[in-house]
Amino acid sequence: MSSFQKQVPRCRVSDSELTTVLDLGLHPLGNGFIAPSDTRDEFFYPLSVGFSEESKLVQLVDQPSPEQMFHSEYPFFSGTSVGMRQHFKQFAYSILSSKFLSENPLIVEIGCNDGILLSHFASRNLRHIGIEPADNVAALAREQGVNVLKDFFCEDTAEVILSSHGSADVIMAANVLCHIARLNDVIRGFKRLLKPNGVVVFEDPYLGDVVRKTSYDQIYDEHVFLFSAHSVVYAFGLADLQLIDVAPQPTHGGSMRYVLSHKGSYEPSDSVPRLLEEESRLGIDQLETFIRFQTKIEESKQALRSELEELKKRGKSVAGYGATSKSTTILNYCEITTDLLPYICDTTPIKHGKLSPGRHIPIKPHQEFQRNHPDVALLFAWNHFEEIQSKESKYLSNGGRFLTHVPFVRYLPQFGPEK
Ligand code: DWN
Ligand code: SAH
């Protein structure tokens, strides 16, 4: 083979051929909020998505290195959303009241961030450990009394935990397994670390929701995988771990919680074959579905751009709401710059005064939005709309409206006053 020929990408889990199904062009880091003085050296990578017919895994073809994404200035803090705090409280209660905890249990969490979930176990003096590579968020978790090991979880980390703490009753992971390219390594670590009757409980944005809602903004550097029951069964099956339960979650625009155990430890619930059947009906185990998805994404881009251009023509003021990682995909793919969107408001202090990755839209404190209500707010944090709607009741009653692209470009509330 000539050295100029491009190699066919391979599935990270099955090593089978990966077919590229989406190409979104060059993108910056999803959370690469940048100081105005640093824009010259900004990093870009090709954002494209592949599908493996073998593992059914939807995955990025290229992902930047973990150290580029998760570091001591990681700007996402799980506790910024009241709704997510509530969600993780319930998540903790579901584990605390389950049959999976032994007398003196060990609970392990991968990607514990600011301690939003693990703090519920720490406050009950239960043995626990969180693995978190981003120093700044790990420090917040420690302030809550959470024990944190600063590292990227992999099989070697599992060995470290085994020798210091013993094996785990429950291994939890929320919105993190979909971030880790070396999934086989992580799963081997789970296999080693888990007690014979232990369980892995993890949740991530669900591929079925992304396809149904055309929420293509869930595709960015950090999200190297978009999971389905099909791909979870395949990937964990390689290590003899079985899927015993699934439960849809409303978080992050539609997520799925997966429960796994050693093969044969528990009888899988009916929810598993039911979800597998539903996925086959939706076609998310088939290549053609993702080829059609590219067309839907392009249509969404055209509709969003033309609405923003129309608002500009009519002299309406517009601001972005929530400088989410997801917004980086929308802004860069839809080529939205300050002429259409002068600023984005966000509640995270570390993002203030920075520019959005790639398109360089200024990020301002939420107070700016409150001081100066725009005619239209482009809703980047659409997954938190319920919470935002109650927080912004004054904005809405004054005739303000939210523009969203999910599941198609439209205004919220749908029957609000004409702006
Ligand atoms: O998977 C991931 C999830 C868990 O969190 C990570 N890769 C990164 C991150 O994704 P995201 O940035 O898209 O997450 P959220 O939770 O949709 O976005 C939160 C952002 O929105 C924060 O910057 C805070 C902001 N926000 C706001 O300004 N006002 C949020 C709420 C609820 C608000 O009222
Ligand atoms: N669990 C939290 C945080 C999700 S953001 C929530 O659901 O809100 C993803 C987190 O995973 C970040 O804090 C990131 O630093 C961490 N992370 C990324 N790769 C990791 C790895 N290999 N091991 C452990 N944590 C990781």
Side-chain angles (χ1 to χ4, degrees):
M1 194 212 271
S2 131
S3 58
F4 295 109
Q5 268 175 324
K6 198 173 178 325
Q7 275 196 340
V8 175
R10 320 286 307 173
C11 169
R12 288 174 178 81
V13 166
S14 65
D15 199 35
S16 62
E17 197 174 298
L18 207 57
T19 309
T20 302
V21 286
L22 301 176
D23 179 0
L24 303 184
L26 281 182
H27 281 242
L29 300 174
N31 268 315
F33 297 92
I34 193 164
S37 54
D38 293 342
T39 52
R40 268 183 33 191
D41 301 324
E42 196 168 8
F43 170 84
F44 287 85
Y45 71 100
L47 179 57
S48 58
V49 177
F51 177 74
S52 158
E53 301 256 26
E54 168 72 17
S55 66
K56 312 296 184 197
L57 262 167
V58 170
Q59 56 197 282
L60 298 190
V61 175
D62 300 286
Q63 191 194 30
S65 75
E67 292 79 9
Q68 268 176 295
M69 299 181 288
F70 310 112
H71 43 69
S72 57
E73 288 177 59
Y74 187 59
F76 174 72
F77 301 83
S78 304
T80 43
S81 151
V82 180
M84 290 310 292
R85 289 207 294 268
Q86 191 56 33
H87 171 76
F88 283 117
K89 192 175 175 181
Q90 283 163 2
F91 188 147
Y93 285 167
S94 75
I95 303 286
L96 287 163
S97 59
S98 73
K99 59 182 178 194
F100 301 121
L101 299 186
S102 63
E103 206 157 297
N104 181 20
L106 175 69
I107 294 108
V108 175
E109 189 191 358
I110 319 301
C112 65
N113 199 272
D114 58 9
I116 193 169
L117 173 58
L118 217 40
S119 58
H120 295 284
F121 298 87
S123 64
R124 287 172 172 79
N125 288 322
L126 291 170
R127 291 194 309 131
H128 68 275
I129 181 145
I131 324 304
E132 173 53 64
D135 248 343
N136 60 334
V137 295
L140 289 175
R142 288 196 185 102
E143 280 173 25
Q144 311 256 341
V146 173
N147 300 321
V148 187
L149 177 63
K150 182 196 166 295
D151 210 341
F152 290 95
F153 183 84
C154 61
E155 196 176 0
D156 290 347
T157 331
E159 294 298 342
V160 171
I161 299 171
L162 261 178
S163 52
S164 57
H165 292 72
S167 48
D169 295 68
V170 178
I171 302 175
M172 313 183 294
N175 307 302
V176 58
L177 291 196
C178 71
H179 294 58
I180 311 177
R182 295 173 61 184
L183 185 64
N184 288 342
D185 190 341
V186 166
I187 294 175
R188 280 196 303 271
F190 289 170
K191 181 75 186 168
R192 277 288 289 138
L193 191 54
L194 206 59
K195 279 190 181 159
N197 287 325
V199 285
V200 176
V201 184
F202 83 94
E203 57 187 41
D204 272 307
Y206 179 53
L207 177 63
D209 285 291
V210 171
V211 168
R212 269 192 291 260
K213 298 175 186 166
T214 319
S215 46
Y216 68 92
D217 49 347
Q218 287 292 6
I219 301 167
Y220 56 91
D221 56 346
E222 294 182 16
H223 289 179
V224 65
F225 296 116
L226 280 172
F227 293 121
S228 60
H230 273 85
S231 57
V232 167
V233 165
Y234 183 93
F236 284 76
L238 294 178
D240 268 351
L241 291 168
Q242 63 172 2
L243 183 58
I244 57 169
D245 202 6
V246 287
Q249 305 294 319
T251 46
H252 291 297
S255 297
M256 190 61 70
R257 184 175 295 167
Y258 305 92
V259 184
L260 297 113
S261 71
H262 290 287
K263 206 169 170 185
S265 303
Y266 296 98
E267 184 65 29
S269 113
D270 291 347
S271 62
V272 176
R274 263 207 309 273
L275 184 61
L276 288 167
E277 260 171 52
E278 198 182 306
E279 289 183 353
S280 297
R281 268 200 305 278
L282 185 64
I284 59 172
D285 55 345
Q286 285 146 35
L287 187 70
E288 294 71 33
T289 305
F290 303 101
I291 297 183
R292 279 197 301 275
F293 193 54
Q294 171 97 42
T295 312
K296 287 176 86 179
I297 293 178
E298 280 162 15
E299 287 166 2
S300 176
K301 167 180 177 170
Q302 294 317 327
L304 185 61
R305 275 201 64 87
S306 51
E307 191 55 38
L308 290 173
E309 276 158 8
E310 178 64 22
L311 288 168
K312 185 180 175 191
K313 218 160 52 192
R314 286 164 50 206
K316 301 293 178 191
S317 57
V318 186
Y321 198 102
T324 57
S325 326
K326 297 183 290 295
S327 69
T328 300
T329 296
I330 300 175
L331 294 169
N332 286 278
Y333 176 64
C334 300
E335 301 166 86
I336 297 168
T337 45
T338 46
D339 61 327
L340 293 178
L341 191 70
Y343 76 94
I344 303 170
C345 73
D346 192 281
T347 52
T348 317
I350 195 177
K351 294 182 183 174
H352 301 156
K354 301 259 176 73
L355 303 175
S356 76
R359 297 288 162 183
H360 302 164
I361 297 175
I363 314 298
K364 299 193 176 179
H366 178 245
Q367 288 80 343
E368 176 75 17
F369 177 86
Q370 285 172 313
R371 256 198 308 273
N372 210 351
H373 277 164
D375 294 317
V376 170
L378 179 51
L379 185 60
F380 291 126
W382 56 271
N383 44 312
H384 301 298
F385 185 59
E386 217 173 284
E387 173 176 343
I388 291 169
Q389 189 173 22
S390 60
K391 192 157 97 182
E392 304 298 353
S393 56
K394 198 160 155 216
Y395 173 60
L396 289 165
S397 58
N398 285 341
R401 295 180 79 189
F402 286 96
L403 177 60
T404 181
H405 70 290
V406 180
F408 49 86
V409 174
R410 64 189 175 132
Y411 284 95
L412 295 170
Q414 261 174 309
F415 304 106
E418 184 56 28
K419 260 278 163 187

